[in-house]
């Protein structure tokens, strides 16, 4: 079974600072990778996803993530954060291939990001 | 929002009572999932369905059962609610299980 580790549980930044949230996964096979955002009181929204191809993936709201296969990592980045980026961020994986995929996404525990004006 | 609706949105129930949460989709997606979200745990899979009457257990299935008699509806039942089942429950749907997943707005359940 796969697992996901998010390194930072709470991150506090000032507006315009750069952001990088770490995500590592554990799985021996091929995976699809996702970052979701959850604004206060809302449901999860997809920020970006990686299935194959270019390991640098661009998502909505200026976010991007880089898949580094050798490091089993899929870190989320944004060059300049805004107050409206305050939210919970979840990294998730989904196994590909036989025996995998049907059982949905495996999530990390989340990173609570607070952007101070 | 993307054709997925959860009901009720909020519920308070007493320990020992049965509770059923409903997830309804209008997307005709094959795969449906129930997750619970708890602080410090992220989202954990309770049960999932890969078709009508085809369901399976997830990571935290104890104390929960599900049913899917129609493509559009996936019901989650807490057979005898306990305080440890106080949580926010999210339903998700997917057309091809490895692609995109769309989440509902959640049900906040409090067991007193």
């Amino acid at each position: 079974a796969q697992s996901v580790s998010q390194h930072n549980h709470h991150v506090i930044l000032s507006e315009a600072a750069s952001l990088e949230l770490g995500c590592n996964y554990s799985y021996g096979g091929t995976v699809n990778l996702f970052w979701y955002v959850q604004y206060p009181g809302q449901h999860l929204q997809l920020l970006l996803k990686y299935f194959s191809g270019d390991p640098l993936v661009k998502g909505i709201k200026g976010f991007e993530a880089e898949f580094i296969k050798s490091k089993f990592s899929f870190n989320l980045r944004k060059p300049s954060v805004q107050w409206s980026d305050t939210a919970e961020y979840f990294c998730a994986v989904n196994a590909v291939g036989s025996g995998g995929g049907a059982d949905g996404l495996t999530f990390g525990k989340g990173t609570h990001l607070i952007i101070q004006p | 929002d993307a054709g997925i609706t959860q009901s009720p949105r909020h519920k308070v129930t007493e320990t020992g009572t049965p509770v059923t949460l409903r997830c309804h989709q209008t997307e005709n997606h094959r795969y449906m999932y129930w997750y619970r979200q708890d602080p410090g745990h992220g989202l954990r899979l309770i049960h999932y369905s890969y078709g009508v009457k085809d369901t399976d257990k997830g990571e935290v299935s104890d104390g929960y059962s599900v049913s899917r008699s129609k493509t559009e509806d996936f019901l989650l039942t807490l057979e005898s609610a306990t305080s440890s089942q106080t949580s926010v429950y999210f339903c998700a749907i997917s057309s091809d299980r490895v692609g995109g997943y769309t989440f509902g707005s959640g049900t906040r359940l409090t067991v007193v």
Side-chain angles (χ1 to χ4, degrees):
Chain A
Q2 58 270 36
S3 65
V4 179
S5 176
Q6 292 184 237
H7 312 303
N8 310 100
H9 297 302
H10 297 276
V11 173
I12 301 174
L13 295 173
S14 299
E15 276 193 317
S18 64
L19 169 72
E20 181 161 2
L21 301 182
C23 173
N24 285 91
Y25 68 93
S26 174
Y27 184 70
T30 303
V31 294
N32 297 319
L33 297 153
F34 305 79
W35 274 99
Y36 282 85
V37 61
Q38 185 179 32
Y39 298 104
Q42 297 190 24
H43 62 285
L44 277 76
Q45 301 174 38
L46 181 65
L47 272 179
L48 47 79
K49 59 188 177 184
Y50 173 80
F51 290 168
S52 63
D54 188 343
L56 185 61
V57 180
K58 293 192 183 300
I60 61 172
K61 303 179 187 287
F63 285 92
E64 65 179 28
E66 184 176 13
F67 172 51
I68 302 179
K69 189 174 181 179
S70 61
K71 295 184 178 181
F72 297 89
S73 69
F74 190 56
N75 293 352
L76 181 71
R77 300 194 293 247
K78 186 172 184 178
S80 177
V81 295
Q82 303 172 310
W83 176 79
S84 58
D85 292 325
T86 293
E88 191 92 16
Y89 292 81
F90 294 96
C91 181
V93 302
N94 175 271
V96 177
S98 61
D103 56 352
L105 297 173
T106 299
F107 285 86
K109 294 183 178 181
T111 296
H112 186 201
L113 175 65
I114 296 174
I115 306 301
Q116 297 177 330
Chain B
D1 195 2
I4 179 171
T5 306
Q6 290 184 233
S7 59
R9 292 295 309 277
H10 301 273
K11 186 171 181 65
V12 179
T13 192
E14 293 186 349
T15 299
T17 61
V19 177
T20 296
L21 309 183
R22 181 185 185 226
C23 178
H24 178 77
Q25 59 141 334
T26 58
E27 304 296 315
N28 201 35
H29 285 347
R30 178 180 177 186
Y31 301 95
M32 299 185 75
Y33 307 86
W34 276 108
Y35 287 89
R36 61 177 290 175
Q37 183 181 22
D38 303 289
H41 290 278
L43 280 83
R44 293 176 291 175
L45 183 67
I46 305 171
H47 281 281
Y48 62 96
S49 169
Y50 44 95
V52 173
K53 296 187 179 179
D54 289 325
T55 64
D56 208 343
K57 297 178 179 180
E59 177 188 357
V60 290
S61 60
D62 286 349
Y64 301 94
S65 63
V66 289
S67 65
R68 192 169 178 199
S69 59
K70 299 183 291 184
T71 298
E72 57 266 36
D73 289 325
F74 192 33
L75 304 180
L76 176 70
T77 297
L78 287 65
E79 295 140 8
S80 178
T82 67
S83 58
S84 65
Q85 293 176 311
T86 292
S87 186
V88 180
Y89 292 85
F90 286 99
C91 177
I93 60 175
S94 176
S95 60
D96 60 3
R97 89 190 188 192
V98 296
Y101 294 76
T102 302
F103 285 82
S105 298
T107 294
R108 183 172 295 276
L109 177 68
T110 303
V111 183
V112 297

